[in-house]
Amino acid sequence: EDQVTQSPEALRLQEGESSSLNCSYTVSGLRGLFWYRQDPGKGPEFLFTLYSAGEEKEKERLKATLTKKESFLHITAPKPEDSATYLCAVRTETSGSRLTFGEGTQLTVNP
Amino acid sequence: DAGVTQSPTHLIKTRGQQVTLRCSPISGHKSVSWYQQVLGQGPQFIFQYYEKEERGRGNFPDRFSARQFPNYSSELNVNALLLGDSALYLCASSLREYQETQYFGPGTRLLVL
């Protein structure tokens, strides 16, 4: 069974304090790892897709990386508006279009 | 361009009732998936439809059903509601069936009393 584990569950940062969120996965045949941002009461907002180990994607203050066992979402000099829950999801060779999500990391950035 | 839209935004039902949730995908997208998100957890896959056919089903009881229309919009039906069905129901669309990023709508918040 595909498993996705995110850590930490919650993270508090001061504005400008860089950090990383972790997403570890145990799957058979990864066909894509996805990062989403979710604000309270809203639907997940797509951030990145990574397909192979060594791949990196960047968007503003966010950078996602992928290894064979985990992915990191690096947040550089965060701002209060980066506060949200960050979700990681995987698609595998046997899951079709089904995404298996982790529980998410709730990020709070204090001014 | 409009994103994925869902209706209604909020819904309150009592146990035993039935509910229908609606989703319109991004224009040109032919695949629609439904997810249930309980507070504090990640979304759980319920169904995927592509070209009006069911392509995947998650571990949910038969009380849950869905369909996709010729215009690619979709409905999720839940019968005999239980308190545990209270959740945010998310619809996601993608251009094709596989290897595509899924874009989510704002969700429908269902409360079962």
Side-chain angles (χ1 to χ4, degrees):
Chain A
E1 183 178 335
D2 301 333
Q3 289 193 330
V4 179
T5 303
Q6 292 188 246
S7 61
E9 292 184 9
L11 181 63
R12 286 186 174 273
L13 300 174
Q14 289 298 122
E15 185 172 2
E17 180 186 1
S18 301
S19 187
S20 296
L21 312 182
N22 177 263
C23 171
S24 63
Y25 58 91
T26 304
V27 302
S28 298
L30 183 71
R31 289 294 179 265
L33 186 140
F34 304 83
W35 283 98
Y36 289 86
R37 167 195 170 126
Q38 186 174 29
D39 293 307
K42 298 188 177 181
E45 174 190 347
F46 171 72
L47 294 174
F48 303 109
T49 306
L50 302 167
Y51 289 107
S52 56
E55 190 174 358
E56 298 182 351
K57 295 270 181 76
E58 287 189 67
K59 179 182 179 181
E60 296 180 354
R61 296 177 293 281
L62 300 177
K63 179 180 177 180
T65 62
L66 181 66
T67 73
K68 289 186 178 180
K69 293 184 178 181
E70 58 192 349
S71 177
F72 291 93
L73 184 66
H74 307 278
I75 303 177
T76 302
K79 298 182 178 182
E81 53 261 42
D82 294 322
S83 297
T85 295
Y86 290 85
L87 294 165
C88 168
V90 298
R91 178 188 291 139
T92 71
E93 61 185 14
T94 58
S95 70
S97 291
R98 176 197 311 231
L99 294 180
T100 299
F101 281 85
E103 302 283 280
T105 293
Q106 185 174 358
L107 174 66
T108 303
V109 182
N110 295 314
Chain B
D1 288 343
V4 177
T5 59
Q6 293 186 242
S7 64
T9 56
H10 295 84
L11 205 52
I12 299 176
K13 292 286 188 178
T14 56
R15 283 177 297 175
Q17 287 189 311
Q18 174 265 343
V19 68
T20 298
L21 311 180
R22 296 176 176 81
C23 170
S24 292
I26 293 171
S27 178
H29 284 198
K30 298 182 177 181
S31 177
V32 170
S33 297
W34 287 94
Y35 292 82
Q36 180 197 65
Q37 187 176 26
V38 175
L39 196 61
Q41 297 182 18
Q44 297 289 317
F45 174 77
I46 309 175
F47 286 111
Q48 189 227 349
Y49 276 77
Y50 178 72
E51 290 283 14
K52 301 180 290 295
E53 291 187 1
E54 182 182 304
R55 298 292 192 164
R57 173 185 282 259
N59 188 24
F60 281 80
D62 292 342
R63 300 184 294 108
F64 289 77
S65 63
R67 56 179 174 169
Q68 186 178 33
F69 298 98
N71 66 353
Y72 303 108
S73 67
S74 178
E75 287 182 352
L76 175 70
N77 295 284
V78 186
N79 294 321
L81 285 167
L82 303 174
L83 297 180
D85 294 331
S86 297
L88 181 67
Y89 287 85
L90 296 163
C91 173
S93 77
S94 59
L95 194 59
R96 289 181 290 270
E97 184 174 7
Y98 298 121
Q99 305 295 336
E100 291 289 342
T101 296
Q102 295 183 21
Y103 296 90
F104 284 83
T108 294
R109 173 71 64 185
L110 172 65
L111 177 61
V112 182
L113 300 177

